[in-house]
């Protein structure tokens, strides 16, 4: 069981009046190598042209870094590919690359043109020793390279100049907010909420920069955060085991699992209830706020959520595919479980394979065919879209 996880996320806002951001943030997990790659690229200017160049830069950076191509060679290829601004004589895109090993915390950083990244241990900044790399063909441009060992709890903060230069020409910040002020703001947020998630911290920085610009962003604003920490785990049990002799395994899992727990399916909940001698209670509030698409939830001591089975799971797959991020006030059973999944780093599925005769009716929707196929789809969506680690065990 891996006891570390890389929580990486970002927040972004396009320049005022622009519908497309000229900043690009891309993350790719290479599961078989336990690596997480993140790239922030800032295209010169704004709008579609900047977006195209930033996307091109990010794609090349991910490709070469994932293949362990030498820093000099990959940087040169990117520089050679990107055009040069005729007026300002600078590259049409800047970039920051982070390459982290999920297992041991080894981290490599490559930077060109963006505000320097910040490494936090708790709320305090850690100095990061960087080597300057100059390319023979591009003597006027410097690449910074650093390698370090992260500890659990460390964070990496990096952002485009839309944050550091936000508020420029305002009376209280004529030269812009600045990297130091942005760093101090992030430090205080971590001090107040030590376990703040990457998505939340990034959103706070972007919102503050947007406020500095009087809610009319003068440039594309992007902030990425990497948080190396212990994983937040979620167990999802659905379906009775193929053999009744293995029912006790479900109860043992509910008792011993180190994380949040959800049960999908009335039969499964009944098995756990009987073996642990804990009552299942229907949630009255769910009954009062009846949702015709999703059956109501139930509750049991020691379990965070109990839902109906395949109908709810099919709805969850649909929500994840549509990138839905549920929010109050209306949270049905599917939305609540989606929230739990999105708030977790590792989702462990335990799927019973006993056939439920009710689902063999040919008049039922196709998505109710087999529970295990729906869960395979959910696990795939969680990994590909939400960068979660998942496992599936069939009983």
């Amino acid at each position: 069981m891996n006891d570390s996880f890389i929580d990486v996320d970002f927040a972004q806002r396009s320049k005022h009046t622009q519908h497309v951001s000229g900043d690009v943030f891309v993350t790719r997990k290479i599961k078989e190598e336990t690596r997480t790659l993140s790239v922030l690229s800032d295209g010169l200017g704004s709008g579609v042209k900047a977006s195209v160049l930033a996307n091109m830069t990010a794609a090349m950076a991910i490709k070469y870094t994932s293949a362990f191509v030498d820093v000099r060679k990959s940087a040169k290829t990117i520089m050679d590919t990107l055009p040069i601004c005729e007026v300002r004589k600078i590259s049409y895109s800047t970039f920051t690359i982070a390459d982290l090993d999920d297992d041991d915390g080894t981290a490599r950083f490559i930077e060109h043109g963006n505000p320097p990244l910040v490494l936090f241990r708790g709320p305090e900044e850690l100095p990061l020793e960087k080597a300057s790399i100059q390319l023979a063909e591009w003597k006027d441009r410097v690449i910074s390279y650093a390698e370090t060992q992260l500890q659990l709890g460390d964070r990496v903060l990096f952002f485009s100049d839309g944050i550091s230069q936000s508020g420029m020409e305002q009376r209280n910040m004529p030269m812009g907010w600045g990297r130091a002020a942005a760093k101090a703001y992030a430090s205080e947020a971590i001090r107040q909420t030590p376990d703040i998630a990457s998505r939340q911290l990034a959103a706070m920085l972007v919102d503050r920069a947007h406020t500095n610009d009087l809610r009319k962003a003068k440039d594309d604003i992007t902030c990425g955060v990497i948080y190396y920490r212990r994983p937040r785990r979620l167990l999802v049990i659905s379906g009775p085991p193929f053999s009744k002799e293995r029912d006790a395994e479900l109860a043992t899992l509910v008792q011993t699992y180190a994380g949040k727990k959800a049960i999908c399916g009335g039969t499964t909940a009944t098995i756990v209830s009987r073996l642990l001698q804990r009552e299942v209670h229907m949630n009255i509030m769910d009954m009062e706020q009846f949702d015709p698409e999703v059956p109501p939830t139930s509750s049991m001591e020691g379990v965070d959520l109990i839902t109906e089975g395949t109908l709810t799971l099919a709805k969850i797959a649909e929500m994840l595919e549509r990138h839905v991020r549920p929010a109050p006030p209306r949270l049905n059973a599917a939305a609540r479980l989606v929230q739990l999944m999105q708030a977790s780093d590792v989702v462990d599925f335990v799927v019973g394979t006993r056939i439920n005769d009710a689902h063999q009716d040919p008049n039922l929707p196709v998505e109710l065919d087999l529970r295990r196929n729906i869960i395979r789809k959910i696990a795939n969506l969680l990994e590909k879209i939400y960068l979660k680690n998942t496992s599936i065990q069939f009983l």
Side-chain angles (χ1 to χ4, degrees), residues 238-345:
S238 184
F242 181 80
S243 170
K244 291 184 179 181
E245 285 72 29
R246 302 190 69 181
D247 284 358
E249 292 184 35
L250 298 184
T252 301
L253 273 171
V254 169
Q255 281 188 310
T256 61
Y257 188 80
K260 293 188 178 295
K261 289 155 272 193
I263 298 175
C264 299
T267 304
T268 314
T270 300
I271 291 171
V272 175
S273 170
R274 171 174 52 82
L275 291 170
L276 296 182
Q277 298 183 337
R278 301 175 186 174
E279 292 187 15
V280 177
H281 301 281
M282 184 72 71
N283 290 330
I284 304 300
M285 187 173 292
D286 276 14
M287 295 294 291
E288 292 174 350
Q289 299 176 350
F290 180 69
D291 187 324
E293 293 187 3
V294 181
T297 65
S298 299
S299 60
M300 179 199 302
E301 178 191 346
V303 177
D304 296 275
L305 183 66
I306 298 176
T307 74
E308 178 275 340
T310 43
L311 267 173
T312 304
L313 289 168
K315 187 67 176 178
I316 287 167
E318 176 192 326
M319 294 175 71
L320 292 172
E321 200 162 26
R322 292 192 291 114
H323 298 237
V324 173
R325 289 192 178 268
R330 192 169 182 271
L331 290 175
N332 60 26
R336 291 183 191 181
L337 190 44
V338 167
Q339 269 195 331
L340 279 176
M341 290 176 175
Q342 292 176 345
S344 303
D345 307 315

Side-chain angles (χ1 to χ4, degrees), residues 39-296:
V39 176
L40 169 60
S41 179
D42 181 356
L44 185 65
S46 58
V48 174
K49 183 177 180 180
S51 178
V52 169
L53 292 165
N55 271 289
M56 184 189 307
T57 302
M60 286 190 289
I62 287 284
K63 177 181 177 181
Y64 295 127
T65 307
S66 64
F68 287 109
V69 174
D70 178 74
V71 175
R72 293 175 183 272
K73 185 176 180 181
S74 57
K76 179 182 182 302
T77 304
I78 293 172
M79 300 287 197
D80 289 344
T81 304
L82 293 172
I84 303 299
C85 175
E86 290 295 329
V87 177
R88 298 167 64 181
K89 304 299 181 183
I90 58 176
S91 175
Y92 268 110
S93 185
T94 60
F95 54 86
T96 302
I97 305 169
D99 179 4
L100 288 82
D101 188 305
D102 300 24
D103 278 341
D104 64 12
T106 301
R108 298 189 303 149
F109 304 110
I110 305 165
E111 300 176 278
H112 167 62
N114 285 335
L117 60 81
V118 186
L119 175 60
F120 284 108
R121 180 156 295 163
E124 305 299 328
E125 181 185 9
L126 278 183
L128 188 61
E129 188 175 335
K130 300 179 182 180
S132 295
I133 299 173
Q134 283 192 313
L135 305 175
E137 298 84 347
W138 303 101
K139 294 181 180 179
D140 57 331
R141 278 179 267 174
V142 177
I143 308 295
S144 293
Y145 176 81
E147 187 167 334
T148 191
Q149 199 76 24
L150 299 183
Q151 294 183 12
L152 289 175
D154 288 356
R155 287 180 174 85
V156 180
L157 178 75
F158 47 111
F159 44 80
S160 63
D161 56 12
I163 284 185
S164 56
Q165 295 180 9
S166 64
M168 188 174 289
E169 299 178 357
Q170 301 290 341
R171 181 174 299 178
N172 61 334
M173 52 181 84
M175 301 302 292
W177 195 25
R179 177 180 178 272
K183 181 176 63 177
Y185 183 82
S187 174
E188 183 59 26
I190 297 169
R191 194 182 308 278
Q192 292 186 13
T193 312
D195 62 347
I196 186 170
S198 294
R199 183 177 184 81
Q200 185 181 354
L201 183 58
M204 288 179 66
L205 268 291
V206 168
D207 187 67
R208 176 57 189 268
H210 192 220
T211 299
N212 292 344
D213 283 339
L214 306 179
R215 314 304 289 182
K216 293 184 178 180
K218 297 177 182 176
D219 194 2
D220 301 304
I221 303 172
T222 304
C223 178
V225 178
I226 298 170
Y227 184 13
Y228 185 62
R229 55 168 167 76
R230 297 192 186 281
R232 297 164 183 165
R233 297 180 176 275
L234 171 66
L235 172 68
V236 179
I237 298 176
S238 184
F242 181 80
S243 170
K244 291 184 179 181
E245 285 72 29
R246 302 190 69 181
D247 284 358
E249 292 184 35
L250 298 184
T252 301
L253 273 171
V254 169
Q255 281 188 310
T256 61
Y257 188 80
K260 293 188 178 295
K261 289 155 272 193
I263 298 175
C264 299
T267 304
T268 314
T270 300
I271 291 171
V272 175
S273 170
R274 171 174 52 82
L275 291 170
L276 296 182
Q277 298 183 337
R278 301 175 186 174
E279 292 187 15
V280 177
H281 301 281
M282 184 72 71
N283 290 330
I284 304 300
M285 187 173 292
D286 276 14
M287 295 294 291
E288 292 174 350
Q289 299 176 350
F290 180 69
D291 187 324
E293 293 187 3
V294 181

